[in-house]
Amino acid sequence: MSSSSSSASSTAPAPAAGKRQLKREMDDIKAFLAGGAAGVATVLAGHPFDTLKVRLQTSNQYSGIVDCFKQTVRKDGIFGLYKGMTSPLVGVTPMFALSFWAYDVGQRLVLAATPNRTSKELTLTEYAIAGGFSAIPTTIVTTPMERVKVVMQTQDANPTGKKYTGMFDAGRGMYREGGIRSLYRGTVATLARDVPGSAAYFVGYEAVYRALKKDGESLSMGATLFAGGMAGVSMWVIAIPPDVVKSRIQASPAGTYKGFIDCGAKMVAAEGPQALFKGLGAALLRAFPANAAGFMGRAIALEGMHQLW
């Protein structure tokens, strides 16, 4: 993910010599639509790994990621890996659009807070601040989307629990049972994951972008894929412990945990510190291809829109 003022706005490959020069200015519509394209590509490429990650985090019936994959496919077929995908697909456009907008706002706030700076180029620390800020408004969309997704991904592991037929059925059921609080269960855990995670995400992208970009040239598609993939890896290296806690809170019946700290403490007491790193392998396996696909989707969408206006 990136904003119109960041280096990621140049990720579409440069036009070949002799072709007409395209107008490559960003606007809110391009940012919104390109963000949606990035989100859809990310979900399509990464959801099977996400399903394995969530199941490993919320159940002790699997010996590892390979066993989880085998059991899931044996029971539900290959499409079992795509359970709960409707929720993130529906949520990715506003979520990514909010993230792009908030990242841009975060960068402007950093610049406004340092009026005497000699360069408009942000440091990696300042990109981290802007990235962390971007997670705050995005949580409005992310938390209920992931609450529905997690329940849909894990409901088959609970034979006595309520079964929902789809995303909207699950959302209605949760709202009837606990109102808006039920849909927003895990908000603190989502913030605990996404504020540092988004900071690492954007810094990871910007750092790789700077390392690969040559002066006066646009980043190639291959370099864009690599930078996007490394952004995802950068996020999940530090985001997995709060993500495990978030999944537990969102998959468990109301009242199981008093909150984020209580859930984490109970997990460590019962299963040891390693419980906070459940699903790390699946998360890292997902991170590179999913986020590389997201940046590729964004670059292709931007290129198409640059052709139009």
Side-chain angles (χ1 to χ4, degrees):
M1 291 178 286
S2 184
S3 70
S4 58
S5 61
S6 77
S7 55
S9 62
S10 307
T11 55
K19 293 186 178 180
R20 70 180 179 86
Q21 187 68 34
L22 299 178
K23 185 178 181 181
R24 295 180 177 273
E25 294 179 0
M26 289 290 292
D27 56 41
D28 290 337
I29 296 176
K30 286 181 179 179
F32 183 88
L33 294 178
V40 170
T42 299
V43 172
L44 291 175
H47 194 78
F49 297 103
D50 187 70
T51 297
L52 297 177
K53 173 181 71 69
V54 170
R55 291 190 173 191
L56 285 166
Q57 290 173 341
T58 57
S59 174
N60 293 319
Q61 72 181 74
Y62 308 110
S63 61
I65 185 172
V66 175
D67 180 52
C68 183
F69 174 81
K70 289 179 178 177
Q71 288 196 43
T72 299
V73 173
R74 186 183 303 121
K75 182 178 180 181
D76 302 317
I78 196 68
F79 291 107
L81 297 170
Y82 288 90
K83 283 195 172 182
M85 190 173 73
T86 304
S87 177
L89 275 177
V90 169
V92 287
T93 297
M95 184 183 75
F96 272 61
L98 274 173
S99 183
F100 292 161
W101 170 79
Y103 184 47
D104 188 64
V105 170
Q107 292 179 70
R108 294 201 301 267
L109 288 174
V110 168
L111 292 173
T114 53
N116 297 322
R117 63 190 302 128
T118 57
S119 172
K120 294 297 183 182
E121 179 69 23
L122 271 63
T123 66
L124 291 180
T125 299
E126 290 170 333
Y127 278 124
I129 294 170
F133 174 82
S134 73
I136 298 173
T138 307
T139 301
I140 297 169
V141 176
T142 304
T143 302
M145 179 195 74
E146 295 216 352
R147 165 86 162 114
V148 171
K149 175 183 72 69
V150 167
V151 168
M152 291 297 296
Q153 288 173 322
T154 60
Q155 64 178 358
D156 289 342
N158 183 7
T160 60
K162 183 170 182 179
K163 297 294 190 291
Y164 298 108
T165 59
M167 167 191 165
F168 296 107
D169 181 46
R172 284 192 298 267
M174 292 174 200
Y175 185 80
R176 283 195 298 266
E177 291 170 5
I180 197 72
R181 288 175 63 89
S182 178
L183 287 169
Y184 276 87
R185 187 185 304 166
T187 298
V188 172
T190 302
L191 283 169
R193 178 195 68 179
D194 287 353
V195 170
S198 294
Y201 184 93
F202 285 111
V203 167
Y205 180 84
E206 297 293 347
V208 176
Y209 179 94
R210 290 182 180 187
L212 297 178
K213 188 177 184 300
K214 298 178 181 178
D215 291 341
E217 296 182 11
S218 296
L219 207 62
S220 68
M221 185 64 76
T224 298
L225 287 168
F226 183 73
M230 291 307 297
V233 171
S234 300
M235 172 180 175
W236 282 106
V237 163
I238 67 169
I240 196 68
D243 184 65
V244 175
V245 176
K246 178 196 72 69
S247 294
R248 275 300 169 94
I249 292 172
Q250 292 183 322
S252 301
T256 304
Y257 304 108
K258 296 177 183 178
F260 177 71
I261 300 296
D262 180 57
C263 179
K266 287 181 176 177
M267 286 180 63
V268 171
E271 305 170 43
Q274 65 271 19
L276 295 175
F277 293 90
K278 282 189 171 183
L280 176 61
L284 292 178
L285 282 174
R286 171 189 178 273
F288 194 95
N291 289 283
F295 273 89
M296 182 176 69
R298 182 175 187 271
I300 292 172
L302 279 175
E303 186 69 13
M305 286 184 284
H306 289 326
Q307 294 277 357
L308 297 174
W309 76 91

